Amino acid sequence: MIPVTAASARSDQGSAPPASTASGKGPGRAANGHRAWFLVLPALIPILLLSVGPLLYGIVLAFTDSQAGRTDPTQWIGLLNFQDLLRDTLFWESFRIGLVWAVAVSVPQFLLALGLALLLHQNLRFRWLSRALAIVPWAMPEVVVGIMWRLVYHPDAGLLNETLGTHRDWLGSLSTALPAVVVVGIWARLPQVTVTLLAGLSNVPRELHEAAAMDGAGAWRRFRTVTWPAIRPIALAISALSFIWNVNSFALVYVLTGGGPGGRTRLPMLFAYEEAFRYGQFGYAAAMGCVLVAVVSILLAVHLVARLKGDDDA
Amino acid sequence: MSTRLTARRRAARTGQYLALLGYLVFLAFPLLWLVSTAFKPPRELASLHPGWIPDHPTLDNFRQAFDEQPLLRSAGNSLIASLAAAAITVVIATPMAYVMARHHRSPLSRAATGWIVVSQAFPFVLVIIPLFLVLKEVRLIDSLSGLIMVYVVWSLPFALWMLAGYARAVPRELEEAAAVDGASRLRTLISVTMPLLAPGIVATALFAFITAWNEFFFALVLLKSPQKQTMPVILTHFIGTEGVADLGPLAAASLLATLPSLVLFAVIQRRITSGTLAGAVKH
């Protein structure tokens, strides 16, 4: 319909219809119709078989008494798993710990990252160093991050005790275990969130910033009226993602504490893992997964609604 | 007036540098401690005041790490799983990403985008339990092939997202020009589109490689026999059931496990942030 110009094609987010050439025979149509299916199938089949399928199967499992190594057929037991979950104080405890953990990691992480991004956006010396260093935690296997912090928190040979001159077992004592793993959680993805926000800052129109400064707007006012509106979409996206990542955390805490001491750091994922692969309670663990999905979906929906509303205001 | 202003500005600058210093310390100190531990002889590790720089740096920890656990074999397993997952991922994702980029309003593309977003939100437990049961049924449990299949599907959402972003950036009129010159559709795809897409494909493959190399949860659940396990799983074996056994070899092995993904990540880091997040904002 719309003639494709060089400019519109390059900035185009696909808004031009596929059949954009006059003859309708151009390569824009190369992937049309049955040909598109041919190109899509190699990815679509594994997605359906190994992602969508298991997901639906997982929901079905939540309504059964599926267990490891049972010989009699699996029975459909309706809502029994969910009723058991409601009464399972250990589950609620881990659910509570999971929420505390996700909030305690995500919120400070975001605020720190925002401050750092604003800082690194400035023309400071040594900022190359922080950018270079930031790659390391990002690229590290989570298992190694966990091991590294075990070395830092070690009661005898640890960096923290050495610095403070103490001999505490940070990961092993009831009062400090959760705060200690929260610090690791913040550390692990701080660079990722910072660099993401930094990418968002490159969208901030410099002239607008300068004009606001000329008009005598203070730093806070400039942030609120110029910077924040420009980085808002990326900030909302990364904050939602990091919250979900934290809810689904496993490796970090598994390596650091294994869920202990006394279940103080037993995140929902660790709890479900134990139920499924240590005690073989597949149906019960699947029900747990369903509850987690429901909660995350609700939180995500709230977040998305806030985002859409914000876009309307803009 | 002006002197007061510059004084204030200087104070602000000082504050900024202090904040930067705090960040660098927070970021660097655990890393340096890991490196330092890896080169410390046992006597220094056991001392009451282990210092930053080993008095007698040693490579014994690395040798001991290889003696204690099958590091080489697990590195081989990780390499096979990561290479295969990366290769298969880009081979099957590229055509679909191309279709998504060129027909982003089609129902299929919309469904795919929806799946990409939703797949970020699902707790792995809900997927791993059925996958475990299915793979067990077809006897792909405790095998690298089963793990590779899981890795492919696991990195597909992000790979599609990245590749579709790159495909959108390929100017359509270049393809059209080739068509006008009489090239067939397939020929256009192969000789015009693919070369332009190549850097994006390489970046996506490297990203899929790093993801698989670092992955722990699926490997822990799906691989049981020690000779099949990947490096992150083997690393946890250094930690006994009752806390840390040997700090030196543990740190040494951890450093080795990090090197491949660190090097690759340094190569593609700029592409990941610029490519994918630009896409995220525009969507």
Side-chain angles (χ1 to χ4, degrees):
Chain A
M1 282 172 263
I2 313 154
V4 177
T5 65
S8 77
R10 210 163 288 123
S11 64
D12 174 74
Q13 286 296 306
S15 57
S20 49
T21 45
S23 65
K25 283 183 189 163
R29 280 181 54 121
N32 250 354
H34 62 282
R35 279 168 195 278
W37 284 103
F38 166 73
L39 290 172
V40 161
L41 277 183
L44 201 59
I45 290 171
I47 288 174
L48 292 177
L49 282 182
L50 290 165
S51 173
V52 179
L55 204 65
L56 298 176
Y57 185 20
I59 296 170
V60 171
L61 275 175
F63 297 92
T64 70
D65 62 352
S66 172
Q67 278 176 21
R70 63 183 287 148
T71 42
D72 50 326
T74 300
Q75 301 271 321
W76 182 268
I77 55 166
L79 289 172
L80 209 61
N81 282 329
F82 293 93
Q83 286 169 8
D84 286 347
L85 267 183
L86 277 175
R87 281 192 296 264
D88 189 339
T89 50
L90 282 179
F91 170 70
W92 287 113
E93 178 62 10
S94 105
F95 193 81
R96 191 188 63 82
I97 292 169
L99 270 185
V100 169
W101 150 268
V103 172
V105 173
S106 308
V107 174
Q109 192 173 56
F110 179 80
L111 294 176
L112 279 174
L114 185 60
L116 283 167
L118 291 170
L119 188 67
L120 296 177
H121 197 55
Q122 308 268 327
N123 207 5
L124 295 179
R125 262 175 283 177
F126 301 117
R127 66 173 180 176
W128 63 269
L129 185 63
S130 42
R131 287 184 189 212
L133 263 177
I135 290 180
V136 187
W138 196 341
M140 260 184 162
E142 267 190 292
V143 168
V144 175
V145 175
I147 288 172
M148 185 181 73
W149 279 89
R150 279 184 79 125
L151 298 175
V152 171
Y153 285 134
H154 197 275
D156 305 319
L159 169 63
L160 190 61
N161 281 326
E162 182 58 23
T163 313
L164 298 177
T166 51
H167 274 279
R168 289 193 79 125
D169 187 1
W170 299 93
L171 293 169
S173 81
L174 292 176
S175 55
T176 53
L178 188 58
V181 293
V182 163
V183 169
V184 185
I186 293 172
W187 187 90
R189 261 194 268 271
L190 185 59
Q192 204 166 341
V193 181
T194 306
V195 174
T196 306
L197 291 172
L198 209 47
L201 282 177
S202 61
N203 293 338
V204 178
R206 199 167 276 277
E207 316 82 59
L208 213 56
H209 217 276
E210 279 157 10
M214 295 279 267
D215 289 347
W220 169 245
R221 214 181 136 76
R222 287 204 302 274
F223 173 78
R224 214 170 45 90
T225 55
V226 181
T227 311
W228 180 248
I231 63 169
R232 194 171 178 276
I234 210 166
L236 287 170
I238 192 67
S239 58
L241 268 179
S242 78
F243 185 82
I244 291 165
W245 288 331
N246 287 324
V247 169
N248 288 337
S249 283
F250 179 81
L252 212 55
V253 179
Y254 179 89
V255 172
L256 276 168
T257 63
R264 278 304 149 94
T265 59
R266 195 192 282 135
L267 302 181
M269 276 288 288
L270 274 92
F271 191 73
Y273 165 79
E274 283 176 1
E275 281 298 324
F277 299 105
R278 193 161 295 166
Y279 307 120
Q281 302 290 342
F282 292 131
Y284 194 54
M288 216 173 287
C290 286
V291 173
L292 284 182
V293 170
V295 171
V296 171
S297 308
I298 290 167
L299 291 173
L300 207 62
V302 171
H303 194 85
L304 280 175
V305 167
R307 179 177 176 174
L308 291 175
K309 221 174 126 199
D311 287 352
D312 287 346
D313 294 345
Chain B
M1 176 74 189
S2 71
T3 49
R4 221 188 76 208
L5 237 174
T6 47
R8 240 176 74 184
R9 193 163 293 167
R10 199 172 301 144
R13 262 286 128 111
T14 312
Q16 287 176 342
Y17 275 109
L18 281 177
L20 189 64
L21 183 71
Y23 177 52
L24 290 177
V25 167
F26 184 51
L27 208 59
F29 273 33
L31 296 167
L32 294 174
W33 193 251
L34 177 71
V35 176
S36 155
T37 307
F39 291 99
K40 271 181 203 156
R43 212 160 41 84
E44 284 181 49
L45 281 170
S47 86
L48 275 177
H49 294 288
W52 273 103
I53 298 172
D55 293 330
H56 305 283
T58 171
L59 290 174
D60 279 357
N61 290 327
F62 290 89
R63 218 189 41 223
Q64 204 184 326
F66 281 97
D67 287 344
E68 274 179 29
Q69 294 290 340
L71 271 191
L72 218 50
R73 197 171 47 203
S74 71
N77 291 340
S78 278
L79 192 66
I80 293 169
S82 311
L83 277 178
I88 299 172
T89 300
V90 292
V91 166
I92 67 176
T94 306
M96 178 154 170
Y98 179 76
V99 173
M100 284 172 64
R102 287 289 181 263
H103 307 276
H104 86 300
R105 278 173 202 282
S106 76
L108 184 87
S109 296
R110 282 170 191 273
T113 311
W115 172 75
I116 289 170
V117 173
V118 168
S119 64
Q120 296 296 313
F122 277 103
F124 309 123
V125 249
L126 194 55
V127 182
I128 193 66
I129 297 169
L131 264 178
F132 179 85
L133 294 174
V134 170
L135 289 176
K136 200 172 163 190
E137 205 62 41
V138 294
R139 295 176 179 233
L140 279 174
I141 221 80
D142 200 22
S143 89
L144 280 182
S145 335
L147 188 68
I148 290 165
M149 285 164 66
V150 173
Y151 281 175
V152 167
V153 178
W154 190 49
S155 33
L156 257 178
F158 205 68
L160 284 172
W161 188 267
M162 273 177 90
L163 283 167
Y166 286 114
R168 270 197 302 272
V170 173
R172 203 184 288 244
E173 65 268 34
L174 280 183
E175 294 174 352
E176 281 156 9
V180 170
D181 288 348
S184 71
R185 286 163 188 171
L186 192 63
R187 166 120 206 141
T188 308
L189 262 181
I190 290 172
S191 55
V192 177
T193 316
M194 289 302 279
L196 290 168
L197 215 51
I201 292 176
V202 171
T204 309
L206 291 180
F207 189 77
F209 180 93
I210 296 169
T211 313
W213 180 272
N214 290 351
E215 204 282 332
F216 175 66
F217 182 60
F218 294 130
L220 175 74
V221 170
L222 296 178
L223 304 172
K224 285 292 158 241
S225 39
Q227 64 267 26
K228 298 225 174 100
Q229 281 168 343
T230 57
M231 220 162 168
V233 182
I234 289 294
L235 284 183
T236 62
H237 291 345
F238 279 100
I239 308 168
T241 39
E242 296 294 317
V244 177
D246 267 330
L247 299 183
L250 177 71
S254 300
L255 273 187
L256 291 178
T258 308
L259 281 181
S261 44
L262 194 61
V263 171
L264 294 182
F265 200 88
V267 175
I268 58 163
Q269 180 253 140
R270 215 165 271 279
R271 285 180 172 279
I272 287 184
T273 42
S274 62
T276 60
L277 289 161
V281 180
K282 279 166 192 159
H283 268 76

